[in-house]
Amino acid sequence: MAKEGLVTYVDNDLVRRIREGDVTAFEELFARHQRRVYNICLQILNNEAEAADVTQDVFVKAYKSIKSLKSDAAFVGWLKTLAVNMCRDALRKRVRTASVQSLDKLIETGDGDCLQREIEDWSHNPERSMDKRETCKIVQKAISSLSLDYREVVVLFYVDGAEVNEIAKTLNSPVGTIKSRLARARAELKRKLAHLVET
């Protein structure tokens, strides 16, 4: 059985056990997906404490609502949709506009690492003297200025590694809309980060 199929099988079995009242199965499901949900929340909210709180809230809501899930196989997508929606709620409660971090080869995680997903290389100067962490912060600042619609697709695509079709389901939007947002977000970020390219 392929790794992805095995992961889905294990999740499905855990969901089934939770529906039958097995609390330990939910604890295991939490352990399997807590980091993923936290990373999504962190990138959207750009606040570690708030991301941790929302992550906990996501799993509390998931536990209370899991019996309403129509298909065991839909669990991961459903969980990510819960995370995005609860981040939106958290942002609405803020006094000021929130910011997010992530994208491209320089996406800093809560662990202080930079994630990497291959897309267009914006700089052809390998001898750039700027420190990697400093560059991460500049990229994060650029993303913090994106609209929430753009931030969500950027986080799900570059941080979570979701495909466009999956993002469309998570955000309940047409595939064409997701592709358009992703393209526009890339263009906007490329413009904002143009100063990183030495002439």
Side-chain angles (χ1 to χ4, degrees), residues 69-119:
L69 185 62
K70 295 179 181 178
S71 166
D72 295 352
F75 174 75
V76 173
W78 176 68
L79 189 66
K80 289 195 287 187
T81 299
L82 279 181
V84 170
N85 287 338
M86 293 183 79
C87 283
R88 290 174 179 173
D89 291 342
L91 289 173
R92 288 190 195 103
K93 293 176 184 177
R94 285 188 179 179
V95 176
R96 295 188 296 174
T97 303
S99 42
V100 95
Q101 53 196 40
S102 68
L103 187 80
D104 201 73
K105 297 182 178 181
L106 300 164
I107 305 172
E108 193 170 8
T109 68
D111 299 327
D113 296 326
C114 282
L115 300 177
Q116 200 167 15
R117 187 165 186 189
E118 188 173 340
I119 62 166

Side-chain angles (χ1 to χ4, degrees), residues 131-177:
D131 179 77
K132 189 176 182 181
R133 285 190 179 276
E134 183 181 347
T135 307
C136 280
K137 290 178 182 178
I138 293 172
V139 173
Q140 292 165 9
K141 185 175 180 181
I143 293 182
S144 74
S145 64
L146 292 176
S147 68
L148 181 58
D149 286 349
Y150 289 179
R151 275 184 266 162
E152 289 174 348
V153 295
V154 162
V155 168
L156 291 172
F157 187 79
Y158 290 102
V159 177
D160 188 58
E163 299 299 328
V164 171
N165 289 350
E166 185 183 353
I167 296 171
K169 290 179 182 178
T170 298
L171 299 180
N172 194 28
S173 297
V175 170
T177 299

